[in-house]
Amino acid sequence: MTQRAVVRGVGHYLPERVVPNAEFEKTLDTSNDWIVSRSGIERRHFAAEGQTTSDLAVRASRAALENAGMSAEDLDAIIVATSTSDLTFPSTATMVQSALGNTTGFAFDVQAVCAGFVYALANANALIVSGQAKTVLVIGAETFSRILDWTDRSTCVLFGDGAGALILSAEDGTGTNADRGILATDLNSDGRYRDILYVDGGVSTNSTGVLKMEGKEVFRHAVEKLAATADMALSKAGLHHEDIDWIVPHQANIRIIQATAKKLGVSMDKVVVTVQDHGNTSAASIPLALSVGVRNGQIKKGDLVVAEAIGGGLAWGSVVLRW
Ligand code: ACO
């Protein structure tokens, strides 16, 4: 018998305020046409004043618990992937734990920027496979609107706020790739690229900072590294491109999504795309897309899903799972 981390439930939350591209035309030298043609983004959600990352995470978690038919006491561990935590400490995950009313599990944050949810899933898988936890809530939640430079048209039009959550729990599998659950993970980082995507502030520099990005450079790395990590995770699982039912990519740019799918030889009708409605929500983008994909009737039980992401670090990775 092999322990598998199997998906029990999924949910998401998006802040009420929807901001169409046209709103940026009022303050910046930009246009809806430029934003749509270069990124595929049409609108994004921004958190209300005072609404924090943990607020979004709690709402997504409640939706996932309801979808799973579980309550907070059923959770052994809570992992939040975020780069925009409410406070320097305690972790956003412990805030979520308290708001949900769980007192018996353990909770911690993971910070791998846009690759954060993939890293968090790999951690949840390791906890379950090693027997340290049976049921794990994994959340990606961000309020990137708090770290944007509103005068920089090349970055502020690209990001949005939101949260998505997944509940995984242990199930006996046969050890073959026909099992449900996480079948393989692949994580990578290369800190030499820190200057192409970063926030120019932080606790030990006594500032919050704003996001800085060399978009073209990130783009170039993204296509090559996302296809490579998806290939690696598939090969670890003993699977091939033709076995993929759904690619659920990090939603940064439609052109990156299309180029990666092409490199993998997978047609766009097997790719879950939400970038037009959410923008880049960093660690929240994959669980948001999973939740929307399930709600839309795209992803079904037994489907082979490949989730892949890249972000600041650079950090990148992928997860192959059977839904
Ligand atoms: N409106 C109008 N013009 C603009 C805007 C805008 N909002 N932003 C930039 N431009 C201009 C630039 O100034 C430039 O003008 P110039 O030629 O006179 O200098 C021109 O448009 C072209 O800019 P490029 O940067 O060459 O445009 P590109 O086609 O590369 O698209 C983009 C830019 C959308 C940022 C793209 O490079 C991209 O998506 N990169 C990857 C982003 C990404 O994947 N991030 C993921 C990780 S995010 C994370 O980890 C937090």
PDB file of all heavy atoms in Angstrom, residues 29-31 34-35 38 113-114 144 153-154 157-159 197 211 213 215-216 218-219 250 252-253 255-256 280 282 310-312, ligand 1:
ATOM      1  N   ASP A  29      -0.438  56.147 -18.728  1.00  0.00           N
ATOM      2  CA  ASP A  29      -0.366  56.130 -20.183  1.00  0.00           C
ATOM      3  C   ASP A  29      -0.436  54.672 -20.635  1.00  0.00           C
ATOM      4  O   ASP A  29       0.578  54.032 -20.931  1.00  0.00           O
ATOM      5  CB  ASP A  29       0.944  56.789 -20.628  1.00  0.00           C
ATOM      6  CG  ASP A  29       1.078  56.802 -22.143  1.00  0.00           C
ATOM      7  OD1 ASP A  29       0.055  56.567 -22.830  1.00  0.00           O
ATOM      8  OD2 ASP A  29       2.204  57.031 -22.626  1.00  0.00           O
ATOM      9  N   THR A  30      -1.656  54.122 -20.605  1.00  0.00           N
ATOM     10  CA  THR A  30      -1.860  52.727 -20.992  1.00  0.00           C
ATOM     11  C   THR A  30      -3.233  52.595 -21.639  1.00  0.00           C
ATOM     12  O   THR A  30      -3.988  53.560 -21.717  1.00  0.00           O
ATOM     13  CB  THR A  30      -1.735  51.789 -19.767  1.00  0.00           C
ATOM     14  OG1 THR A  30      -1.712  50.429 -20.217  1.00  0.00           O
ATOM     15  CG2 THR A  30      -2.882  51.955 -18.770  1.00  0.00           C
ATOM     16  N   SER A  31      -3.551  51.396 -22.124  1.00  0.00           N
ATOM     17  CA  SER A  31      -4.866  51.189 -22.749  1.00  0.00           C
ATOM     18  C   SER A  31      -5.320  49.758 -22.513  1.00  0.00           C
ATOM     19  O   SER A  31      -4.494  48.856 -22.305  1.00  0.00           O
ATOM     20  CB  SER A  31      -4.765  51.438 -24.255  1.00  0.00           C
ATOM     21  OG  SER A  31      -3.927  50.446 -24.827  1.00  0.00           O
ATOM     22  N   TRP A  34      -3.622  47.467 -25.015  1.00  0.00           N
ATOM     23  CA  TRP A  34      -2.241  47.060 -24.702  1.00  0.00           C
ATOM     24  C   TRP A  34      -2.259  45.938 -23.657  1.00  0.00           C
ATOM     25  O   TRP A  34      -1.601  44.911 -23.830  1.00  0.00           O
ATOM     26  CB  TRP A  34      -1.406  48.241 -24.174  1.00  0.00           C
ATOM     27  CG  TRP A  34       0.064  47.898 -24.113  1.00  0.00           C
ATOM     28  CD1 TRP A  34       1.010  48.165 -25.058  1.00  0.00           C
ATOM     29  CD2 TRP A  34       0.753  47.187 -23.058  1.00  0.00           C
ATOM     30  NE1 TRP A  34       2.240  47.666 -24.670  1.00  0.00           N
ATOM     31  CE2 TRP A  34       2.110  47.059 -23.437  1.00  0.00           C
ATOM     32  CE3 TRP A  34       0.358  46.634 -21.850  1.00  0.00           C
ATOM     33  CZ2 TRP A  34       3.080  46.421 -22.653  1.00  0.00           C
ATOM     34  CZ3 TRP A  34       1.321  45.986 -21.056  1.00  0.00           C
ATOM     35  CH2 TRP A  34       2.656  45.891 -21.467  1.00  0.00           C
ATOM     36  N   ILE A  35      -3.029  46.144 -22.596  1.00  0.00           N
ATOM     37  CA  ILE A  35      -3.020  45.174 -21.492  1.00  0.00           C
ATOM     38  C   ILE A  35      -3.551  43.818 -21.972  1.00  0.00           C
ATOM     39  O   ILE A  35      -2.954  42.770 -21.697  1.00  0.00           O
ATOM     40  CB  ILE A  35      -3.827  45.694 -20.277  1.00  0.00           C
ATOM     41  CG1 ILE A  35      -3.230  47.015 -19.770  1.00  0.00           C
ATOM     42  CG2 ILE A  35      -3.846  44.661 -19.150  1.00  0.00           C
ATOM     43  CD1 ILE A  35      -4.103  47.752 -18.746  1.00  0.00           C
ATOM     44  N   ARG A  38      -0.956  42.185 -24.586  1.00  0.00           N
ATOM     45  CA  ARG A  38       0.331  41.738 -24.038  1.00  0.00           C
ATOM     46  C   ARG A  38       0.199  40.718 -22.909  1.00  0.00           C
ATOM     47  O   ARG A  38       1.142  39.980 -22.627  1.00  0.00           O
ATOM     48  CB  ARG A  38       1.142  42.926 -23.496  1.00  0.00           C
ATOM     49  CG  ARG A  38       1.527  43.961 -24.515  1.00  0.00           C
ATOM     50  CD  ARG A  38       2.381  43.349 -25.619  1.00  0.00           C
ATOM     51  NE  ARG A  38       2.686  44.351 -26.621  1.00  0.00           N
ATOM     52  CZ  ARG A  38       3.863  44.943 -26.729  1.00  0.00           C
ATOM     53  NH1 ARG A  38       4.848  44.625 -25.930  1.00  0.00           N
ATOM     54  NH2 ARG A  38       4.052  45.849 -27.662  1.00  0.00           N
ATOM     55  N   VAL A 113       6.806  32.970  -3.552  1.00  0.00           N
ATOM     56  CA  VAL A 113       6.166  33.924  -4.450  1.00  0.00           C
ATOM     57  C   VAL A 113       5.143  33.194  -5.340  1.00  0.00           C
ATOM     58  O   VAL A 113       4.323  32.445  -4.820  1.00  0.00           O
ATOM     59  CB  VAL A 113       7.212  34.753  -5.235  1.00  0.00           C
ATOM     60  CG1 VAL A 113       6.598  36.071  -5.721  1.00  0.00           C
ATOM     61  CG2 VAL A 113       8.420  35.081  -4.357  1.00  0.00           C
ATOM     62  N   CYS A 114       5.181  33.373  -6.651  1.00  0.00           N
ATOM     63  CA  CYS A 114       4.134  32.791  -7.502  1.00  0.00           C
ATOM     64  C   CYS A 114       4.182  31.261  -7.544  1.00  0.00           C
ATOM     65  O   CYS A 114       3.206  30.624  -7.932  1.00  0.00           O
ATOM     66  CB  CYS A 114       4.220  33.356  -8.914  1.00  0.00           C
ATOM     67  SG  CYS A 114       3.932  35.126  -8.962  1.00  0.00           S
ATOM     68  N   PHE A 144      -1.643  41.387  -3.483  1.00  0.00           N
ATOM     69  CA  PHE A 144      -0.538  42.047  -4.194  1.00  0.00           C
ATOM     70  C   PHE A 144      -0.817  43.531  -4.433  1.00  0.00           C
ATOM     71  O   PHE A 144       0.113  44.297  -4.703  1.00  0.00           O
ATOM     72  CB  PHE A 144      -0.240  41.321  -5.521  1.00  0.00           C
ATOM     73  CG  PHE A 144       0.975  40.424  -5.427  1.00  0.00           C
ATOM     74  CD1 PHE A 144       1.062  39.481  -4.421  1.00  0.00           C
ATOM     75  CD2 PHE A 144       2.038  40.543  -6.314  1.00  0.00           C
ATOM     76  CE1 PHE A 144       2.184  38.671  -4.298  1.00  0.00           C
ATOM     77  CE2 PHE A 144       3.167  39.743  -6.207  1.00  0.00           C
ATOM     78  CZ  PHE A 144       3.240  38.795  -5.191  1.00  0.00           C
ATOM     79  N   ARG A 153       3.408  51.578 -15.011  1.00  0.00           N
ATOM     80  CA  ARG A 153       2.422  50.904 -15.879  1.00  0.00           C
ATOM     81  C   ARG A 153       2.860  49.498 -16.281  1.00  0.00           C
ATOM     82  O   ARG A 153       2.041  48.669 -16.693  1.00  0.00           O
ATOM     83  CB  ARG A 153       2.156  51.747 -17.127  1.00  0.00           C
ATOM     84  CG  ARG A 153       3.372  51.880 -18.031  1.00  0.00           C
ATOM     85  CD  ARG A 153       3.087  52.660 -19.285  1.00  0.00           C
ATOM     86  NE  ARG A 153       4.281  52.691 -20.123  1.00  0.00           N
ATOM     87  CZ  ARG A 153       4.327  53.177 -21.338  1.00  0.00           C
ATOM     88  NH1 ARG A 153       3.236  53.690 -21.873  1.00  0.00           N
ATOM     89  NH2 ARG A 153       5.445  53.156 -22.038  1.00  0.00           N
ATOM     90  N   SER A 154       4.179  49.215 -16.209  1.00  0.00           N
ATOM     91  CA  SER A 154       4.643  47.904 -16.676  1.00  0.00           C
ATOM     92  C   SER A 154       4.422  46.806 -15.632  1.00  0.00           C
ATOM     93  O   SER A 154       4.601  45.628 -15.933  1.00  0.00           O
ATOM     94  CB  SER A 154       6.121  47.972 -17.069  1.00  0.00           C
ATOM     95  OG  SER A 154       6.919  48.157 -15.922  1.00  0.00           O
ATOM     96  N   VAL A 157      -0.584  46.970 -13.697  1.00  0.00           N
ATOM     97  CA  VAL A 157      -1.780  46.516 -14.422  1.00  0.00           C
ATOM     98  C   VAL A 157      -1.881  44.978 -14.451  1.00  0.00           C
ATOM     99  O   VAL A 157      -2.883  44.438 -14.916  1.00  0.00           O
ATOM    100  CB  VAL A 157      -1.781  47.047 -15.880  1.00  0.00           C
ATOM    101  CG1 VAL A 157      -1.735  48.570 -15.895  1.00  0.00           C
ATOM    102  CG2 VAL A 157      -0.612  46.483 -16.689  1.00  0.00           C
ATOM    103  N   LEU A 158      -0.843  44.303 -13.962  1.00  0.00           N
ATOM    104  CA  LEU A 158      -0.761  42.851 -14.171  1.00  0.00           C
ATOM    105  C   LEU A 158      -1.281  42.005 -13.002  1.00  0.00           C
ATOM    106  O   LEU A 158      -1.522  40.812 -13.172  1.00  0.00           O
ATOM    107  CB  LEU A 158       0.693  42.440 -14.446  1.00  0.00           C
ATOM    108  CG  LEU A 158       1.371  43.095 -15.661  1.00  0.00           C
ATOM    109  CD1 LEU A 158       2.846  42.717 -15.703  1.00  0.00           C
ATOM    110  CD2 LEU A 158       0.676  42.677 -16.953  1.00  0.00           C
ATOM    111  N   PHE A 159      -1.416  42.613 -11.814  1.00  0.00           N
ATOM    112  CA  PHE A 159      -1.660  41.800 -10.621  1.00  0.00           C
ATOM    113  C   PHE A 159      -3.051  42.005 -10.022  1.00  0.00           C
ATOM    114  O   PHE A 159      -3.695  43.029 -10.273  1.00  0.00           O
ATOM    115  CB  PHE A 159      -0.580  42.087  -9.569  1.00  0.00           C
ATOM    116  CG  PHE A 159       0.791  41.650 -10.022  1.00  0.00           C
ATOM    117  CD1 PHE A 159       1.603  42.516 -10.748  1.00  0.00           C
ATOM    118  CD2 PHE A 159       1.243  40.366  -9.768  1.00  0.00           C
ATOM    119  CE1 PHE A 159       2.858  42.113 -11.193  1.00  0.00           C
ATOM    120  CE2 PHE A 159       2.492  39.953 -10.213  1.00  0.00           C
ATOM    121  CZ  PHE A 159       3.303  40.826 -10.928  1.00  0.00           C
ATOM    122  N   LEU A 197      12.956  40.010 -10.572  1.00  0.00           N
ATOM    123  CA  LEU A 197      11.603  40.024 -10.008  1.00  0.00           C
ATOM    124  C   LEU A 197      11.710  40.049  -8.494  1.00  0.00           C
ATOM    125  O   LEU A 197      12.098  39.051  -7.884  1.00  0.00           O
ATOM    126  CB  LEU A 197      10.856  38.757 -10.488  1.00  0.00           C
ATOM    127  CG  LEU A 197       9.416  38.556 -10.054  1.00  0.00           C
ATOM    128  CD1 LEU A 197       8.550  39.739 -10.380  1.00  0.00           C
ATOM    129  CD2 LEU A 197       8.848  37.306 -10.734  1.00  0.00           C
ATOM    130  N   LEU A 211       6.787  46.135  -5.938  1.00  0.00           N
ATOM    131  CA  LEU A 211       7.233  45.091  -6.865  1.00  0.00           C
ATOM    132  C   LEU A 211       7.998  45.686  -8.046  1.00  0.00           C
ATOM    133  O   LEU A 211       7.571  46.684  -8.621  1.00  0.00           O
ATOM    134  CB  LEU A 211       6.000  44.324  -7.343  1.00  0.00           C
ATOM    135  CG  LEU A 211       6.214  43.117  -8.245  1.00  0.00           C
ATOM    136  CD1 LEU A 211       5.157  42.057  -7.947  1.00  0.00           C
ATOM    137  CD2 LEU A 211       6.159  43.493  -9.717  1.00  0.00           C
ATOM    138  N   MET A 213       9.935  44.436 -11.706  1.00  0.00           N
ATOM    139  CA  MET A 213      10.048  43.271 -12.599  1.00  0.00           C
ATOM    140  C   MET A 213      10.637  43.656 -13.940  1.00  0.00           C
ATOM    141  O   MET A 213      10.239  44.653 -14.542  1.00  0.00           O
ATOM    142  CB  MET A 213       8.662  42.644 -12.804  1.00  0.00           C
ATOM    143  CG  MET A 213       8.666  41.456 -13.754  1.00  0.00           C
ATOM    144  SD  MET A 213       7.147  40.496 -13.729  1.00  0.00           S
ATOM    145  CE  MET A 213       6.044  41.607 -14.585  1.00  0.00           C
ATOM    146  N   GLY A 215      10.056  42.381 -17.067  1.00  0.00           N
ATOM    147  CA  GLY A 215       9.057  41.482 -17.642  1.00  0.00           C
ATOM    148  C   GLY A 215       9.572  40.568 -18.739  1.00  0.00           C
ATOM    149  O   GLY A 215       9.282  39.365 -18.747  1.00  0.00           O
ATOM    150  N   LYS A 216      10.355  41.119 -19.645  1.00  0.00           N
ATOM    151  CA  LYS A 216      10.847  40.331 -20.790  1.00  0.00           C
ATOM    152  C   LYS A 216      11.728  39.173 -20.323  1.00  0.00           C
ATOM    153  O   LYS A 216      11.658  38.067 -20.855  1.00  0.00           O
ATOM    154  CB  LYS A 216      11.650  41.233 -21.724  1.00  0.00           C
ATOM    155  CG  LYS A 216      10.845  41.707 -22.915  1.00  0.00           C
ATOM    156  CD  LYS A 216      11.777  42.155 -24.025  1.00  0.00           C
ATOM    157  CE  LYS A 216      11.082  42.947 -25.106  1.00  0.00           C
ATOM    158  NZ  LYS A 216       9.695  42.649 -25.373  1.00  0.00           N
ATOM    159  N   VAL A 218      11.743  37.746 -17.289  1.00  0.00           N
ATOM    160  CA  VAL A 218      10.924  36.747 -16.575  1.00  0.00           C
ATOM    161  C   VAL A 218      10.193  35.885 -17.601  1.00  0.00           C
ATOM    162  O   VAL A 218      10.130  34.654 -17.469  1.00  0.00           O
ATOM    163  CB  VAL A 218       9.924  37.428 -15.615  1.00  0.00           C
ATOM    164  CG1 VAL A 218       9.030  36.392 -14.941  1.00  0.00           C
ATOM    165  CG2 VAL A 218      10.655  38.258 -14.563  1.00  0.00           C
ATOM    166  N   PHE A 219       9.665  36.526 -18.612  1.00  0.00           N
ATOM    167  CA  PHE A 219       8.930  35.826 -19.673  1.00  0.00           C
ATOM    168  C   PHE A 219       9.810  34.727 -20.292  1.00  0.00           C
ATOM    169  O   PHE A 219       9.386  33.568 -20.443  1.00  0.00           O
ATOM    170  CB  PHE A 219       8.516  36.846 -20.749  1.00  0.00           C
ATOM    171  CG  PHE A 219       7.468  36.354 -21.695  1.00  0.00           C
ATOM    172  CD1 PHE A 219       6.194  36.897 -21.667  1.00  0.00           C
ATOM    173  CD2 PHE A 219       7.741  35.351 -22.617  1.00  0.00           C
ATOM    174  CE1 PHE A 219       5.209  36.447 -22.537  1.00  0.00           C
ATOM    175  CE2 PHE A 219       6.769  34.902 -23.489  1.00  0.00           C
ATOM    176  CZ  PHE A 219       5.501  35.458 -23.442  1.00  0.00           C
ATOM    177  N   HIS A 250       0.146  28.584 -13.500  1.00  0.00           N
ATOM    178  CA  HIS A 250       0.143  29.889 -12.841  1.00  0.00           C
ATOM    179  C   HIS A 250      -0.350  30.906 -13.857  1.00  0.00           C
ATOM    180  O   HIS A 250       0.082  30.909 -15.009  1.00  0.00           O
ATOM    181  CB  HIS A 250       1.559  30.230 -12.369  1.00  0.00           C
ATOM    182  CG  HIS A 250       1.688  31.639 -11.883  1.00  0.00           C
ATOM    183  ND1 HIS A 250       0.791  32.207 -11.020  1.00  0.00           N
ATOM    184  CD2 HIS A 250       2.609  32.604 -12.149  1.00  0.00           C
ATOM    185  CE1 HIS A 250       1.143  33.457 -10.769  1.00  0.00           C
ATOM    186  NE2 HIS A 250       2.242  33.732 -11.450  1.00  0.00           N
ATOM    187  N   ALA A 252      -0.125  34.145 -15.093  1.00  0.00           N
ATOM    188  CA  ALA A 252       0.613  35.412 -15.130  1.00  0.00           C
ATOM    189  C   ALA A 252       0.349  36.145 -16.440  1.00  0.00           C
ATOM    190  O   ALA A 252       0.177  37.362 -16.445  1.00  0.00           O
ATOM    191  CB  ALA A 252       2.103  35.168 -14.963  1.00  0.00           C
ATOM    192  N   ASN A 253       0.331  35.388 -17.528  1.00  0.00           N
ATOM    193  CA  ASN A 253       0.251  36.018 -18.845  1.00  0.00           C
ATOM    194  C   ASN A 253      -0.236  34.969 -19.841  1.00  0.00           C
ATOM    195  O   ASN A 253       0.319  33.867 -19.896  1.00  0.00           O
ATOM    196  CB  ASN A 253       1.660  36.513 -19.225  1.00  0.00           C
ATOM    197  CG  ASN A 253       1.654  37.283 -20.517  1.00  0.00           C
ATOM    198  OD1 ASN A 253       1.070  36.862 -21.513  1.00  0.00           O
ATOM    199  ND2 ASN A 253       2.310  38.430 -20.501  1.00  0.00           N
ATOM    200  N   ARG A 255       0.168  34.724 -22.905  1.00  0.00           N
ATOM    201  CA  ARG A 255       1.173  34.319 -23.901  1.00  0.00           C
ATOM    202  C   ARG A 255       2.150  33.291 -23.310  1.00  0.00           C
ATOM    203  O   ARG A 255       2.620  32.403 -24.018  1.00  0.00           O
ATOM    204  CB  ARG A 255       1.904  35.550 -24.436  1.00  0.00           C
ATOM    205  CG  ARG A 255       0.968  36.465 -25.244  1.00  0.00           C
ATOM    206  CD  ARG A 255       1.710  37.631 -25.844  1.00  0.00           C
ATOM    207  NE  ARG A 255       2.273  38.506 -24.846  1.00  0.00           N
ATOM    208  CZ  ARG A 255       3.504  39.033 -24.891  1.00  0.00           C
ATOM    209  NH1 ARG A 255       4.310  38.759 -25.904  1.00  0.00           N
ATOM    210  NH2 ARG A 255       3.928  39.828 -23.945  1.00  0.00           N
ATOM    211  N   ILE A 256       2.455  33.404 -22.010  1.00  0.00           N
ATOM    212  CA  ILE A 256       3.303  32.391 -21.360  1.00  0.00           C
ATOM    213  C   ILE A 256       2.534  31.067 -21.293  1.00  0.00           C
ATOM    214  O   ILE A 256       3.077  29.992 -21.570  1.00  0.00           O
ATOM    215  CB  ILE A 256       3.702  32.833 -19.926  1.00  0.00           C
ATOM    216  CG1 ILE A 256       4.606  34.067 -19.969  1.00  0.00           C
ATOM    217  CG2 ILE A 256       4.391  31.688 -19.172  1.00  0.00           C
ATOM    218  CD1 ILE A 256       4.957  34.639 -18.596  1.00  0.00           C
ATOM    219  N   ASN A 280      -2.740  38.385 -12.355  1.00  0.00           N
ATOM    220  CA  ASN A 280      -1.762  37.523 -11.678  1.00  0.00           C
ATOM    221  C   ASN A 280      -1.963  37.659 -10.174  1.00  0.00           C
ATOM    222  O   ASN A 280      -1.649  38.696  -9.596  1.00  0.00           O
ATOM    223  CB  ASN A 280      -0.348  37.951 -12.092  1.00  0.00           C
ATOM    224  CG  ASN A 280       0.744  37.088 -11.465  1.00  0.00           C
ATOM    225  OD1 ASN A 280       0.494  36.332 -10.525  1.00  0.00           O
ATOM    226  ND2 ASN A 280       1.955  37.216 -11.968  1.00  0.00           N
ATOM    227  N   SER A 282      -0.461  35.711  -7.999  1.00  0.00           N
ATOM    228  CA  SER A 282       0.706  35.057  -7.398  1.00  0.00           C
ATOM    229  C   SER A 282       0.336  33.675  -6.833  1.00  0.00           C
ATOM    230  O   SER A 282      -0.225  32.868  -7.559  1.00  0.00           O
ATOM    231  CB  SER A 282       1.331  35.990  -6.349  1.00  0.00           C
ATOM    232  OG  SER A 282       2.583  35.506  -5.963  1.00  0.00           O
ATOM    233  N   ILE A 310       5.913  29.621 -11.805  1.00  0.00           N
ATOM    234  CA  ILE A 310       7.238  30.230 -11.614  1.00  0.00           C
ATOM    235  C   ILE A 310       7.038  31.630 -11.035  1.00  0.00           C
ATOM    236  O   ILE A 310       6.043  32.295 -11.330  1.00  0.00           O
ATOM    237  CB  ILE A 310       8.033  30.299 -12.941  1.00  0.00           C
ATOM    238  CG1 ILE A 310       9.463  30.821 -12.685  1.00  0.00           C
ATOM    239  CG2 ILE A 310       7.317  31.146 -14.000  1.00  0.00           C
ATOM    240  CD1 ILE A 310      10.429  30.588 -13.844  1.00  0.00           C
ATOM    241  N   GLY A 311       7.969  32.046 -10.194  1.00  0.00           N
ATOM    242  CA  GLY A 311       7.873  33.386  -9.629  1.00  0.00           C
ATOM    243  C   GLY A 311       9.210  33.856  -9.095  1.00  0.00           C
ATOM    244  O   GLY A 311      10.259  33.249  -9.358  1.00  0.00           O
ATOM    245  N   GLY A 312       9.164  34.942  -8.331  1.00  0.00           N
ATOM    246  CA  GLY A 312      10.369  35.566  -7.803  1.00  0.00           C
ATOM    247  C   GLY A 312      11.291  34.565  -7.138  1.00  0.00           C
ATOM    248  O   GLY A 312      10.861  33.611  -6.503  1.00  0.00           O
TER     249      GLY A 312
HETATM  250  N1  ACO B   1       0.650  50.138 -21.235  1.00  0.00           N
HETATM  251  C1  ACO B   1       1.244  50.601 -22.360  1.00  0.00           C
HETATM  252  N2  ACO B   1       2.521  50.380 -22.636  1.00  0.00           N
HETATM  253  C2  ACO B   1       3.258  49.685 -21.737  1.00  0.00           C
HETATM  254  C3  ACO B   1       2.713  49.189 -20.543  1.00  0.00           C
HETATM  255  C4  ACO B   1       1.354  49.442 -20.305  1.00  0.00           C
HETATM  256  N3  ACO B   1       0.712  49.007 -19.205  1.00  0.00           N
HETATM  257  N4  ACO B   1       3.664  48.542 -19.875  1.00  0.00           N
HETATM  258  C5  ACO B   1       4.782  48.613 -20.594  1.00  0.00           C
HETATM  259  N5  ACO B   1       4.541  49.313 -21.720  1.00  0.00           N
HETATM  260  C6  ACO B   1       5.460  49.646 -22.796  1.00  0.00           C
HETATM  261  C7  ACO B   1       6.907  49.560 -22.366  1.00  0.00           C
HETATM  262  O1  ACO B   1       7.294  50.761 -21.726  1.00  0.00           O
HETATM  263  C8  ACO B   1       7.613  49.347 -23.675  1.00  0.00           C
HETATM  264  O2  ACO B   1       7.747  50.593 -24.308  1.00  0.00           O
HETATM  265  P1  ACO B   1       9.111  50.979 -25.066  1.00  0.00           P
HETATM  266  O3  ACO B   1       9.243  49.941 -26.158  1.00  0.00           O
HETATM  267  O4  ACO B   1       8.837  52.357 -25.562  1.00  0.00           O
HETATM  268  O5  ACO B   1      10.183  50.885 -24.039  1.00  0.00           O
HETATM  269  C9  ACO B   1       6.610  48.532 -24.487  1.00  0.00           C
HETATM  270  O6  ACO B   1       5.344  48.681 -23.836  1.00  0.00           O
HETATM  271  C10 ACO B   1       6.949  47.067 -24.591  1.00  0.00           C
HETATM  272  O7  ACO B   1       7.205  46.580 -23.303  1.00  0.00           O
HETATM  273  P2  ACO B   1       7.736  45.132 -23.088  1.00  0.00           P
HETATM  274  O8  ACO B   1       8.163  44.981 -21.667  1.00  0.00           O
HETATM  275  O9  ACO B   1       8.701  44.810 -24.162  1.00  0.00           O
HETATM  276  O10 ACO B   1       6.395  44.311 -23.344  1.00  0.00           O
HETATM  277  P3  ACO B   1       6.209  42.746 -23.333  1.00  0.00           P
HETATM  278  O11 ACO B   1       5.599  42.325 -24.595  1.00  0.00           O
HETATM  279  O12 ACO B   1       7.432  42.018 -22.860  1.00  0.00           O
HETATM  280  O13 ACO B   1       5.074  42.543 -22.213  1.00  0.00           O
HETATM  281  C11 ACO B   1       4.813  41.898 -19.893  1.00  0.00           C
HETATM  282  C12 ACO B   1       5.292  42.970 -20.901  1.00  0.00           C
HETATM  283  C13 ACO B   1       3.314  41.774 -19.999  1.00  0.00           C
HETATM  284  C14 ACO B   1       5.213  42.357 -18.499  1.00  0.00           C
HETATM  285  C15 ACO B   1       5.481  40.542 -20.203  1.00  0.00           C
HETATM  286  O14 ACO B   1       6.863  40.713 -20.405  1.00  0.00           O
HETATM  287  C16 ACO B   1       5.269  39.509 -19.111  1.00  0.00           C
HETATM  288  O15 ACO B   1       4.164  39.033 -18.898  1.00  0.00           O
HETATM  289  N6  ACO B   1       6.330  39.072 -18.438  1.00  0.00           N
HETATM  290  C17 ACO B   1       6.268  38.016 -17.452  1.00  0.00           C
HETATM  291  C18 ACO B   1       5.562  38.393 -16.192  1.00  0.00           C
HETATM  292  C19 ACO B   1       5.438  37.142 -15.334  1.00  0.00           C
HETATM  293  O16 ACO B   1       5.303  36.039 -15.784  1.00  0.00           O
HETATM  294  N7  ACO B   1       5.440  37.255 -14.058  1.00  0.00           N
HETATM  295  C20 ACO B   1       5.314  35.994 -13.312  1.00  0.00           C
HETATM  296  C21 ACO B   1       5.872  36.006 -12.116  1.00  0.00           C
HETATM  297  S1  ACO B   1       5.179  37.265 -11.124  1.00  0.00           S
HETATM  298  C22 ACO B   1       5.713  36.962  -9.527  1.00  0.00           C
HETATM  299  O17 ACO B   1       6.428  36.066  -9.237  1.00  0.00           O
HETATM  300  C23 ACO B   1       5.316  37.949  -8.464  1.00  0.00           C
END
